[in-house]
Amino acid sequence: MERIVRLHIEKLPGGVYLAISDDVPGLVAQGRTVTETLEIPRDVARRLLEEQGIDPRPGTLPEPGDAFDYPLVVAA
């Protein structure tokens, strides 16, 4: 079952990126690139939800649905 977890990604002064989420308490991921920073949270979120006993069913996290927006980052 897939659910959407909203991430907030911020570039830190050291040049690394930090991802956090209000949807999954404790979710913090850091990477050297946006791509790397986006790869980590999926597994971290799943593990945190399991450990915290949070059920990612309807009501807690939204389903992707038939259409949703996703910001695509393209390197120049």
Side-chain angles (χ1 to χ4, degrees):
M1 176 181 306
E2 294 180 323
R3 297 289 177 202
I4 293 177
V5 172
R6 294 169 302 203
L7 296 175
H8 173 76
I9 299 176
E10 184 176 329
K11 187 172 185 177
L12 300 178
V16 296
Y17 293 89
L18 179 71
I20 60 172
S21 176
D22 290 336
D23 295 337
V24 181
L27 191 152
V28 178
Q30 181 177 316
R32 294 176 300 230
T33 64
V34 173
T35 303
E36 184 177 289
T37 307
L38 286 171
E39 291 172 352
I40 300 166
R42 180 177 289 117
D43 193 42
V44 173
R46 183 182 49 78
R47 289 182 184 178
L48 283 171
L49 290 170
E50 288 173 357
E51 288 178 16
Q52 295 172 4
I54 298 172
D55 190 2
R57 286 192 214 158
T60 16
L61 297 172
E63 291 184 42
D66 292 335
F68 60 94
D69 294 325
Y70 178 83
L72 181 63
V73 178
V74 180

